[in-house]
Each structure stands twice: as structure tokens, then as C-alpha cells.
Amino acid sequence: MRILTSADANFDQQLTDLLAFETVNDKGLLETVDHIIHQVRQTGDKAVLELTQKFDSHPATSMQDLMLTQNELKAAYDALEDPIKSSLDTAAERIKSFHQRQVQQTWEYTDDLGNRLGQKVTPLDRVGIYVPGGLASYPSSVLMNAIPAKVAGVTEVIMVVPAPKGELNSLVLAAAYLSGVDKVFTIGGAQAVAALAYGTDTIPQVDKITGPGNKYVAAAKRAVFGQVGIDMIAGPSEVLVYAEGESGDNADWLAMDLLSQAEHDTVAQSIFVTTSEEQLKAVEQAIESALAQLPKADIARQSLANRGALILVKDRAEGLQVINRVAPEHLELSLDNPDELIEDIRHAGAIFMGRHTPEAIGDYCAGPNHVLPTSGTARFSSPLGVYDFQKKSSLIYCSEEGSKPLAQVADTLAMQEDLEAHARSARYRSEQAN
């Protein structure tokens, strides 16, 4: 794990190198994904079934074998042990409660000319959510994608989840039931994204696709964007933890917060920024001690070696510069008074405030969405939310009298753009109003 110091003459280049990451620009990857999408568009169900058998070694012999019923989802939920069911219920309720506050409503007003203007807010008809599958258990991904869609009023939520060798995690199915998912297909990869984007005889075409996946899923989402909407092109998980060596800091806590991202993936990114050299060394030692006890230590160690860093800055001002330069997916402020920094933080997917707010709580049950912009895209992107499952239509109603002055303005501007039909279209209303 590299150590950087802001006082170094080449610190800026070191930080640039640390942050450099290309998500889905590999030519071979894009060609493979394009071929898969073409197959699905050409032969629909046949391609989906064959590709699922090939890539997932799925024993299915028909598309019917790749569909799950509501009874199967309910059975998975009912079979959960009470502590697990209670935790899943609590997480779902908190996520729903938070996202209900994001719902946008239709609005309009009447201007002083008597014209009515506004915006009509409408939920999407059908969305597809992609959930990582197999023996891995990611029920939180189901909750974070499906619940906001349902809160938004989406009519139908279609879930796709890969099932290597036909194996599925019952907790993922239980989460689908609890979230109100309408249909579940046990398919994954680029073929699942293509099926959702273009539709097949069995799989309905959707209006938008959300949810995380591997590099093939990310590349496929990019390829079908425009045919359907997507949430984002997600890169590896990342966290930036900022501290200032205050008396309440616990090096073991900080180390584990960094490792909680590093254990995700060998290309996940964990960055620690501090104004205290003593604290930096303490966290470095705590990381080494903790790695000896982690089941996924090999993954975490490689992640830290590949993209991790401990960064020493001169003061809080420099710390804020680094934070805004990184624009992290997850930002932890391990401080006595984290609110003091909020106004100056311009770029971050989610901000975890104070020592008792680890990023892990946000992953599961705090309430805000854990689908967040990565790879610096927090500079221009937001967390997944209800607003991603609603669209807006402008409302414009001109009264007979109110139309006249606006038509005259439109007539004048259209003529300046050399658009005669536009000008006449407006002018006729102006003349009629006379």
C-alpha cells in the first residue's frame, strides 16, 4: 500500500496515477459484448438460453426453466430464520422510508399573462434490475434497486440474476419478494442486459436498466444506452476515509473501514487521508494486523497494493482538496465535528459523518441508496434514487390573450434563425389574437 505526502514535488502526478482506471474501454471486451448483443437481437430466447448454458453452465433446457414464480420467491422469504428475516425487513423499511421522501410531484403555475406552465411527473412503465448472483448473496442490491422503483410507481420491475450451475441464493430471492419484484429470470451477463434492452418472446423489453455487474454487464449497459436508459457505468467500489488524528480516533476502526472496500475486489480502491503522520503509521500497522484475520485477506491485500494509498496532508484545506479531486464513491469523515466540512465538500457519492457511521451501515440499512457514482463521476452524478425511475413532461397551455405577446417574441426570434415556418406558426396565433 503506497504512502503519499502532499508536500512531495510530484504529489499531483502520483495522485493522478493512483486514480487512473478505465472501466469498459478494452477493445476485446467491447467486441465480445457487441457480438452477444447481436445474437440476442437476432434470435432472442434461443440465444439467451444457449449463452446461459454456455457461460453459466446452467442445466436449463427451456426458457421456462429460467423463470421463477412468485410462490418460489415467497417460499424463500418465509423460510428465512427470524434474525435474518427481521434484519431484511428492517433494511427494507428504512430504504423505503428514505426514498419516499424523494418522490417528485406534478406541478404547475399560471403566469401574469394567464398562461399555465408546469411539469408532469410520470413513473417509468417497466424497469430491469441486474443483481449479481450465484452462491454470492447480495440481497442489499435487490432492495436498493427495486424499492426506489416501486416507490416511484413503476408498474413492472423485472429482475435478472445469474445462477451458475443453476444455483441461487435464497436470501436474494427473499429480498425480491419483499421488494415487490414482479418477474425474475435466472440469467446474467451481457445476454441478460441485451434481453432486457430489446426484449425476447419471454423476457419483456424494459425502459431502463439499473444495478451492478461485472465488466461484461457494464460494457453491455453502455452499448444499449439510448435504446434504454441506464443508471450508470459502475466501476470498482471505493472509499476515502478522512481523519485528523483526534483523541477519539481508533486506528483499528479506520483500518477495517478501508479493508471493508478492499475485500470487495482486487481493483477496489481504499484511500486514507490524514493530517497526522502518527495516525497514518498507526493505521498502516492496524491494516497489517487485521489482514492476518480476514477470510478474504488475499483479495484485500492485492487491492491495497494495486490501488490503495495512505496520504499525509498538511492541513484540513489540503485534505479537502484531495477529497474533491478524488470525488469518492464513499467518503467517511472520522471527526468530532464532521458538519464543519460539509459545505466545502463538492464531490462525493455518499458522505458518512462521524466515527460511529461506517460505510458498511450505508451498504445495508441506513436508508440512502448504496448504488453510487464511482471513478470520479460524483463530479456530475448522484446516487440512484426515486428520481431515476420517474420522467418529466413539460406542460404548456397558452390562453388566447396570453398567446399574443409570446407569439410575437417567437416570431421575431424564429426569423433571426431563418426558420420561416416557425415564425409563421407563431404569427398566425398573434394575428388571430388581434
Side-chain angles (χ1 to χ4, degrees):
M1 191 174 189
R2 69 196 81 179
I3 296 177
L4 309 181
T5 302
S6 63
D8 288 348
N10 62 341
F11 174 72
D12 187 68
Q13 185 58 51
Q14 289 177 329
L15 190 56
T16 297
D17 294 341
L18 175 69
L19 300 178
F21 187 84
E22 294 289 344
T23 305
V24 288
N25 286 333
D26 178 79
K27 183 179 179 181
L29 168 67
L30 297 178
E31 288 177 350
T32 298
V33 166
D34 284 343
H35 179 63
I36 291 171
I37 292 173
H38 177 74
Q39 286 179 276
V40 173
R41 293 190 68 180
Q42 289 297 111
T43 61
D45 283 346
K46 180 176 182 292
V48 171
L49 180 60
E50 290 177 353
L51 290 167
T52 301
Q53 292 168 336
K54 175 181 178 181
F55 293 127
D56 289 341
S57 300
H58 200 292
T61 58
S62 71
M63 287 298 292
Q64 191 68 32
D65 296 333
L66 298 176
M67 300 170 59
L68 298 179
T69 66
Q70 285 295 319
N71 286 338
E72 289 174 297
L73 303 184
K74 185 177 185 301
Y77 176 75
D78 290 341
L80 293 178
E81 296 179 2
D82 286 341
I84 298 175
K85 182 182 290 186
S86 176
S87 294
L88 197 65
D89 288 344
T90 297
E93 185 54 42
R94 291 186 62 84
I95 294 165
K96 181 178 180 181
S97 177
F98 177 86
H99 286 85
Q100 284 174 331
R101 290 164 170 79
Q102 293 181 340
V103 176
Q104 302 177 54
Q105 304 292 342
T106 294
W107 56 269
E108 66 174 56
Y109 70 96
T110 301
D111 66 17
D112 55 7
L113 299 173
N115 303 312
R116 292 197 343 255
L117 307 168
Q119 198 169 68
K120 182 179 184 294
V121 179
T122 309
L124 303 184
D125 289 338
R126 183 185 291 131
V127 301
I129 63 172
Y130 190 102
V131 178
L135 292 178
S137 175
Y138 293 103
S140 57
S141 289
V142 182
L143 302 181
M144 294 290 183
N145 283 271
I147 290 177
K150 283 298 183 180
V151 168
V154 172
T155 305
E156 191 173 24
V157 175
I158 312 296
M159 184 175 106
V160 293
V161 54
K165 298 181 180 180
E167 297 174 333
L168 279 166
N169 187 283
S170 61
L171 196 53
V172 168
L173 306 188
Y177 173 76
L178 185 59
S179 303
V181 171
D182 297 284
K183 293 180 181 177
V184 177
F185 296 92
T186 56
I187 58 174
Q191 63 270 25
V193 174
L196 290 172
Y198 295 99
T200 71
D201 289 340
T202 302
I203 301 169
Q205 182 183 30
V206 303
D207 302 309
K208 191 167 191 173
I209 301 172
T210 70
N214 61 21
K215 61 184 180 180
Y216 293 94
V217 172
K221 285 170 68 177
R222 188 176 82 164
V224 301
F225 177 64
Q227 172 67 26
V228 293
I230 62 171
D231 50 351
M232 63 188 73
I233 305 296
S237 187
E238 58 198 37
V239 67
L240 188 154
V241 178
Y242 176 77
E244 296 180 345
E246 296 172 328
S247 59
D249 283 332
N250 185 313
D252 291 334
W253 292 11
L254 299 174
M256 200 56 69
D257 291 352
L258 295 165
L259 289 168
S260 71
Q261 296 306 299
E263 71 176 355
H264 266 300
D265 196 313
T266 57
V267 290
Q269 185 157 68
S270 302
I271 298 175
F272 179 60
V273 179
T274 179
T275 57
S276 166
E277 184 173 2
E278 181 181 355
Q279 185 181 48
L280 185 146
K281 292 178 179 178
V283 170
E284 182 181 27
Q285 292 173 0
I287 288 172
E288 280 304 316
S289 297
L291 278 170
Q293 307 167 32
L294 280 184
K296 294 187 176 181
D298 289 344
I299 293 174
R301 195 179 296 278
Q302 191 172 343
S303 169
L304 295 175
N306 289 340
R307 306 190 67 220
L310 304 171
I311 301 177
L312 179 65
V313 293
K314 180 177 65 175
D315 52 26
R316 177 175 290 185
E318 282 194 354
L320 285 164
Q321 288 177 2
V322 172
I323 289 169
N324 286 316
R325 170 77 179 280
V326 174
E329 177 188 17
H330 307 106
L331 170 63
E332 288 191 16
L333 301 177
S334 183
L335 302 167
D336 285 334
N337 298 298
D339 292 271
E340 294 176 352
L341 276 70
I342 297 302
E343 186 175 347
D344 293 317
I345 293 171
R346 302 190 310 279
H347 312 306
I351 304 172
F352 299 82
M353 302 165 62
R355 295 187 182 84
H356 299 282
T357 317
E359 183 276 330
I361 288 178
D363 271 348
Y364 297 106
C365 57
N369 212 287
H370 79 191
V371 180
L372 301 165
T374 61
S375 303
T377 59
R379 292 177 294 108
F380 53 83
S381 299
S382 305
L384 186 71
V386 170
Y387 39 76
D388 286 296
F389 300 102
Q390 295 179 312
K391 56 190 177 70
K392 306 170 187 70
S393 303
S394 297
L395 299 175
I396 307 168
Y397 170 83
C398 291
S399 65
E400 184 173 352
E401 287 303 314
S403 175
K404 180 178 178 180
L406 298 185
Q408 291 172 340
V409 171
D411 183 353
T412 300
L413 295 178
M415 290 301 294
Q416 295 303 307
E417 295 186 353
D418 197 26
L419 295 172
E420 179 72 24
H422 282 67
R424 290 191 186 188
S425 173
R427 193 178 308 151
Y428 289 163
R429 270 64 176 190
S430 175
E431 292 170 349
Q432 178 67 31
N434 287 325

